Structure formats: C-alpha cells, structure tokens
Amino acid sequence: MLLTFPNRAPFLTYIWFTASVVRFAQEKTLCEVSITERHLHRSEMKAKSRISDLHLKFAERSWNDTFQLVRRCMEKSRDESKPCEPLVRSLERLQEEFNVSSMNTMRSRLEMIAKQQGMGFHVTEATCYLTADLFYLEVVLLPCGGVEEVKVAPQGGSPTSSESLLQLLRLKNFADFSMKLAGLFTQYNIPGDNEIKLKLFTSLQSLGRDFQQISNLLRASRVPKDFDPQMDTINHGRIGCLIAGKEDCPLTIQFYIAPTDVKQTDSQIMGMKADVHAAQVAVGVSDVTHNLQMASVIPQPPQLDPQGYPVFLPLNEVLNETLPACFLLKLRPAVPMIMSFVNKLSQITDVTIPDVDLQWAPLPKLLSRGPPSPNSHGETLDEQDTIFTVPLPGGVMHSYILPGAAWEAPTQIATVMDSVPFTHPAHVPAILDLLRHQCVINTLLRSCVTSQCASPGSVCDLHFEILPESDTSFSVTFHPPDTDSLTVLLVNISDSHQITCRLFGAGTCDPSVDEYISSVMKRCMSVPVTLRTLYRKLEEIASAPLSPSHLATTEAEDDQSAPSSTTVTDTNSALTELPQGAAVPEDSFSVSGSACYAMSVANSELPPEINTSPPVNPYPFTPVGVFSH
C-alpha cells in the first residue's frame, strides 16, 4: 500500500530522478573500469612481449655487457652535469652485485667512487688516477682485479704509499674506502680560486713542518711527569702529542685524556674516540683577511725560552701573505666552553669569534647532552633543578642536584666549540692550555651529570648539591656522617694541572684531609668517587676517640670561632655550626626521602687562592707578532 503524502507526484519524481542518476553513474563507472581493464591488459601484454623480446635478445649477454650499456646511456644524457638519476642508481646497484674479479670491473668501481666524491678519473694501462685540485690518488691494478699499490700525492709533492687505503681496496671494502676518500677530499678542500688554494696549501704545509720541529725539540728537552709517557705528553706537552700528518690523514694534536681513561693507540686516536680530545690542523675561509706564514717562523737552530716555550719569529720577519683565511684547530670531540674562556681564546689569537654562530646554554646542560645511556635517569624539579642519581661500586647510590637558577649565571653560560681559529703557531700552546683547563672542569662536572644512573624510584644513600662559585670553582654541600650539620667541599680548578679541595664545617681542622682529598680527585677525576672517599674518611674521624689534648684544642678553636659563626637550627632542633657568610635557605627540600640543604660559600669564606675578582690572565699572549707563550 502506498503511503499518501501531500504533493505526492513531485516526491515520486524526485525519487525516480535520484535513482536514475545513481544508476547512470554506476553504469558509467563500470564502463570506464571495463575500458581501463582492457587497456591495461593490452599494455601488460605489450610489456610482456617487449620484456620477452629483451630477454631473448640479451639472454646470452653478461652482466658486464649490461653494465656497459647503462654507462653508454649515461654518456648520452642531455645534461652532462646532471646525469639521469635512475641510470645512476641502476649503475650503482649493478656495481654492488658485481664480483670484482677483473681489471675492468675494478676500474669501473673506482670510477664510480671518484664521481660520487666529485673527483676526476683517468686511466693509463694498469693505473687509475682519482684527481682533485690539490691532490690525486694513484691506484696500480693487477690483471685479476686486485690492487698492487695505492699512492697519495699532494699538489707539487711526490706520491707516498697509503697502507690504509691499500688494505681497504684489497679487502674490497668499497664503502669504507669511499668514506676515507671523502675525508681526504675534505682535508684538501680549501676554498678559493686556484691561486688562493695554492697559497693556503703552502701556508698550511709550512705550519705543519713548524709543528714537527717544535714537537721534536720539546720531546728532546722535556722531563716526563707521568708514569705513562704518552699520557704525559698529551696532558702536559706544550703542543700535546703530535700525530704527523700524512698525505691520507691531517695533522692531529692530542691534547687531553682523562687519567682514568685507558691508553689509546694511534689508529684508535685517529678515530676520535670520545674520551680522547684531539684537534685536526686545517685552514678555513674567513671574512677578515689575516697575515699567514708562507715559510717557517722558527729560528735556526730551534730554541726554548726560560719557561720552556718554543721561540718564534714575528711574521714580518718571514715570508707571509695577506689572505682571506685563518688556521683552524678542529676539535674532536667538540668542547663546551664557558663565556670567559671563549673571550680568552679571542685574546690569545687576536681573531674574533663571531657570537652570531654561538648558541649559549648553562654548562651542565651542555655536558648532559648526547645519547643517554639505557640506565641513565634525571629528574627535574621546578622545571629548573635537575637531580642525577649515580651508582657506585658496593651498591652505594649518590644523588646530585644542580640548581638551575645558579647555573644560569653569566659566568656559567657556555657554548660548544668545534673549532678554534688562529694565525700563528705561537698561539697554539696557550690555546691548548685553555682547552685542557676547560676539559678538566668538564670532566669533573660530567662525572655527576652523565654517569650511569639508577632507575626511577631508587633509594639514594647520600645526597649532594653542586653550586658554582666562580668560573673555575664549584662547591658540593652534603651531610657528614653521624651529624645533622652541613659540610661544604670547595673544589677549585686554577688551571689544568692544579686542583685543590677545601673542607668547611666538617668538625676537623686537619689540613692533611684537604691534601688527601685533592690528591684523590686529581687521580680519579671523578666527583662521586672523591666524595665516597671523603665520606669514609669522615666516618673514620668521627669514630676515632679524641685525646684530651686534641679535645681541648677543639674546644678552644670552637670558642674562638663562635663569634664569627652562624647558628642554624635544623628540623631536629640540633644546633649546627656553619662558616660565617654561608647562605642557608629557610626551608629544606626533600630529595628521595632525605634532606638536602641548598648552601653556597660566601666570598668572605673562600680561601686565599680562590679569588672571585677578575683574575690575572693565566694565558699570556702577544696579539700582534707573537714571539713566545
């Protein structure tokens, strides 16, 4: 039965029209699909026919013939500067499948690698030449596709055998060979036109020869201070440990390795492991012109000044050129440096480091960056303060808090330096001293912020707060054993060789404790290890019975220091004696269930050797015409 609607005829007309449109669309779609299927079927049949024809045509052809065909197609590319990308990928894919067992296949592989690196390629009989502006590679092939010899020749120099490149080709490790060649190309990739390139290359070679002479002179005159001669040269040498630059690797200076790190071989050092700091000597473009040496700046015979630094000639006394470039120490790895140290670098070298290229952040933040370890853990309090938990042998767990507001002070703002510009070899000893100084500070702080850490929720045995006191010192506040008072360990790094520790508020005035802790920190270069040793030492002192004379001396010292002390009542209503000027917040904060008080050492409490006023520059320099250290 039909439902009755008002105006029924228009409604039925609408229904009929809609159904007709839908049916028409369906029929049209089916028709199009049918046509498309027939078209695809015909195309597929044609493609199968063509593939069958090609298969029959090239069934008996070798892969080498196919490879040569692709090469000919590439040579016929309309734009020679931009070959057809699909053909390039096809050629590379074919080469990966080749078994290099003939001279022709090895030639083809070397040619492809040269083109990938933007180098030229030439062949004369059994020798291949991979050429660049300032060097070329000479590869002598064997009929079986093997390699007899690999030589590297700089511009104007004689070819020198390269054992590392030879072994990579003999092992047919073309991926590593290509990476090595890329590094070599970067080493000789000096900016500028051909004339500028040749001048900068000549200047860089003169600098390298001067470093060699200095290294030989210092090695013959120096008395080792360390049991490990290599580590001693790295950490204490005027120009560190020099790895002679060869044609296939740049001149490299190793200048810092933490005493706890294992000894590295030269091959490992060239890989730039993270625990060894080194600098590659290079030349880079500059917006400002500088006078650079074109000959040696070392007087003959070479000599040292009374302080043991090499003596140099001023640039105006040797052949020099004004060029839009400067020398570079490319740091491997990059070094986070505080602002005052960056300014000192500019003062030493008289080369301005553009601030626009630098990104500033608190030093601990830069030190804690990098790939986190699987067990690392850091909590953030108030979006600024960060707590790091550090496990130690024996199941002991430390927690370290670094207040964000304190480390954001201008003296603690730092940037990551990956290269240091200079214009004279006389700058290098002072630059290395400054870099070592920063590396020592970084090593100590990094031991607290990037160590292997426990999982969240772990209970820590001891809690410490680390605060900056100056650009080269920091304090560590903690609870000594069996007492509710606070103790402060002040760590001062006056230079890369001097680390002193002073203990405040520990109930002992024995200077031997300070000396002992200082020696421990210099030996292990770890704040957690040093504090564990200090805590055990304080436990021994607290448990040792006092003699009557020592007790009387302690009481007399307490009476004398009473007027100059601040009395603080802790949460347990115990009286705590703190040094005058020590700042204690009104409320303590809880860290993993234990109390840890924020406290800093006032300027009046700093020992005489720590001066908070602008210090005398420990890195003397002569900006223009540098002659000595």
Side-chain angles (χ1 to χ4, degrees):
M1 177 180 179
L2 288 175
L3 297 176
T4 58
F5 293 95
N7 299 326
R8 178 168 170 265
F11 179 75
L12 291 176
T13 303
Y14 170 76
I15 294 296
W16 174 84
F17 177 76
T18 304
S20 299
V21 170
V22 170
R23 183 171 182 179
F24 174 78
Q26 290 175 343
E27 291 177 352
K28 183 176 183 295
T29 303
L30 290 173
C31 182
E32 290 176 349
V33 169
S34 177
I35 294 172
T36 303
E37 286 180 349
R38 288 197 297 270
H39 177 73
L40 289 175
H41 180 69
R42 291 175 183 174
S43 300
E44 186 176 348
M45 293 298 293
K46 289 181 180 180
K48 286 183 178 178
S49 176
R50 289 173 183 173
I51 292 174
S52 299
D53 293 341
L54 288 173
H55 181 71
L56 292 174
K57 182 178 181 180
F58 294 99
E60 298 180 356
R61 297 290 182 91
S62 64
W63 276 107
N64 188 51
D65 293 337
T66 305
F67 175 73
Q68 297 300 330
L69 177 62
V70 175
R71 286 192 59 188
R72 287 196 297 271
C73 292
M74 290 181 63
E75 291 172 357
K76 294 180 180 180
S77 176
R78 296 179 179 178
D79 187 354
E80 295 182 358
S81 62
K82 294 181 180 180
C84 181
E85 289 298 327
L87 290 176
V88 172
R89 289 194 297 269
S90 299
L91 190 60
E92 293 175 352
R93 184 71 180 91
L94 286 171
Q95 284 192 338
E96 292 175 0
E97 298 298 328
F98 279 165
N99 180 18
V100 181
S101 57
S102 68
M103 186 179 294
N104 286 334
T105 53
M106 179 60 81
R107 284 175 181 170
S108 299
R109 198 62 183 268
L110 291 176
E111 181 180 7
M112 177 57 66
I113 292 174
K115 289 183 177 180
Q116 288 174 347
Q117 303 300 334
M119 301 177 65
F121 184 79
H122 307 282
V123 179
T124 58
E125 297 181 357
T127 304
C128 300
Y129 295 92
L130 289 74
T131 60
D133 289 337
L134 296 177
F135 80 101
Y136 67 89
L137 209 67
E138 181 180 331
V139 183
V140 181
L141 304 180
L142 296 173
C144 62
V147 180
E148 180 179 352
E149 190 176 19
V150 178
K151 295 181 180 180
V152 181
Q155 176 70 31
S158 57
T160 304
S161 297
S162 172
E163 188 65 25
S164 60
L165 293 174
L166 175 63
Q167 291 303 321
L168 290 176
L169 287 181
R170 283 182 173 176
L171 294 173
K172 298 180 182 179
N173 189 347
F174 296 107
D176 288 350
F177 175 81
S178 181
M179 291 179 59
K180 183 83 171 177
L181 188 62
L184 190 63
F185 187 77
T186 302
Q187 176 186 340
Y188 287 94
N189 187 23
I190 297 176
D193 54 29
N194 289 337
E195 182 181 0
I196 296 296
K197 285 184 178 182
L198 289 176
K199 288 182 178 180
L200 290 177
F201 185 65
T202 302
S203 180
L204 187 60
Q205 286 183 315
S206 299
L207 177 70
R209 287 191 291 267
D210 282 353
F211 278 138
Q212 290 282 4
Q213 290 191 61
I214 295 170
S215 178
N216 296 334
L217 176 64
L218 293 173
R219 189 184 303 112
S221 60
R222 215 170 152 273
V223 178
K225 301 177 182 178
D226 204 319
F227 67 93
D228 187 335
Q230 184 183 12
M231 182 179 291
D232 180 78
T233 304
I234 293 174
N235 288 340
H236 304 287
R238 297 298 188 195
I239 59 167
C241 182
L242 194 72
I243 297 180
K246 299 179 181 179
E247 282 70 18
D248 60 347
C249 61
L251 180 69
T252 303
I253 297 174
Q254 305 163 21
F255 61 88
Y256 178 75
I257 177 173
T260 54
D261 292 333
V262 296
K263 180 180 178 181
Q264 305 291 324
T265 63
D266 287 351
S267 60
Q268 290 173 317
I269 296 297
M270 293 310 297
M272 297 306 163
K273 292 195 59 148
D275 53 2
V276 178
H277 290 268
Q280 294 179 351
V281 182
V283 64
V285 66
S286 173
D287 296 333
V288 181
T289 58
H290 300 280
N291 289 337
L292 301 180
Q293 65 184 88
M294 303 299 291
S296 176
V297 293
I298 298 179
Q300 297 300 324
Q303 51 190 294
L304 301 177
D305 65 10
Q307 288 77 33
Y309 287 87
V311 176
F312 298 95
L313 297 172
L315 284 176
N316 57 11
E317 294 185 12
V318 299
L319 183 63
N320 67 89
E321 287 274 357
T322 302
L323 299 169
C326 58
F327 300 127
L328 293 175
L329 290 178
K330 294 185 175 181
L331 305 180
R332 302 291 185 272
V335 179
M337 298 193 73
I338 57 177
M339 183 182 295
S340 61
F341 279 32
V342 175
N343 294 334
K344 288 175 184 176
L345 283 177
S346 298
Q347 294 172 4
I348 292 170
T349 62
D350 199 30
V351 178
T352 303
I353 299 176
D355 186 71
V356 68
D357 299 332
L358 304 179
Q359 296 182 355
W360 301 95
L363 180 58
K365 189 173 184 179
L366 296 179
L367 295 176
S368 62
R369 286 178 180 173
S373 60
N375 298 323
S376 64
H377 173 61
E379 294 182 70
T380 301
L381 300 180
D382 299 331
E383 299 181 354
Q384 288 185 345
D385 302 346
T386 305
I387 295 177
F388 296 92
T389 51
V390 183
L392 291 168
V396 177
M397 190 74 69
H398 287 186
S399 73
Y400 294 86
I401 181 168
L402 288 83
W407 288 98
E408 289 176 358
T411 56
Q412 299 303 321
I413 296 297
T415 187
V416 178
M417 298 288 294
D418 57 3
S419 64
V420 179
F422 67 102
T423 58
H424 196 285
H427 298 151
V428 174
I431 292 175
L432 296 185
D433 278 344
L434 191 62
L435 289 173
R436 288 186 184 119
H437 194 175
Q438 183 68 67
C439 285
V440 170
I441 297 173
N442 294 351
T443 300
L444 294 177
L445 292 176
R446 189 178 277 119
S447 67
C448 305
V449 301
T450 59
S451 301
Q452 291 285 332
C453 301
S455 59
S458 59
V459 178
C460 294
D461 302 275
L462 298 172
H463 307 274
F464 305 89
E465 182 190 49
I466 300 181
L467 289 170
E469 300 298 336
S470 70
D471 56 354
T472 59
S473 64
F474 59 88
S475 62
V476 185
T477 307
F478 63 100
H479 280 291
D482 302 325
T483 180
D484 291 328
S485 63
L486 288 174
T487 296
V488 177
L489 179 68
L490 187 63
V491 182
N492 180 42
I493 306 102
S494 55
D495 59 42
S496 60
H497 313 300
Q498 297 292 329
I499 302 176
T500 57
C501 299
R502 291 286 302 276
L503 200 60
F504 295 89
T508 177
C509 298
D510 190 356
S512 63
V513 175
D514 293 341
E515 296 175 4
Y516 174 67
I517 295 303
S518 299
S519 65
V520 170
M521 182 163 288
K522 283 188 286 188
R523 186 172 65 251
C524 69
M525 292 299 294
S526 170
V527 173
V529 174
T530 303
L531 291 175
R532 181 187 61 177
T533 304
L534 173 61
Y535 202 83
R536 290 175 178 174
K537 187 71 173 177
L538 294 178
E539 285 180 333
E540 294 176 3
I541 295 174
S543 62
L546 293 177
S547 62
S549 59
H550 188 273
L551 183 61
T553 303
T554 304
E555 291 176 351
E557 291 174 349
D558 291 342
D559 292 339
Q560 292 176 0
S561 61
S564 61
S565 300
T566 303
T567 303
V568 178
T569 305
D570 66 3
T571 56
N572 296 324
S573 300
L575 293 180
T576 302
E577 295 295 328
L578 299 178
Q580 182 182 10
V584 181
E586 296 178 359
D587 299 323
S588 60
F589 53 88
S590 177
V591 180
S592 301
S594 297
C596 179
Y597 297 92
M599 174 176 157
S600 178
V601 180
N603 292 344
S604 60
E605 275 300 314
L606 295 177
E609 63 269 19
I610 302 179
N611 185 8
T612 58
S613 60
V616 177
N617 186 2
Y619 308 100
F621 63 95
T622 309
V624 181
V626 258
F627 316 115
S628 185
H629 64 286

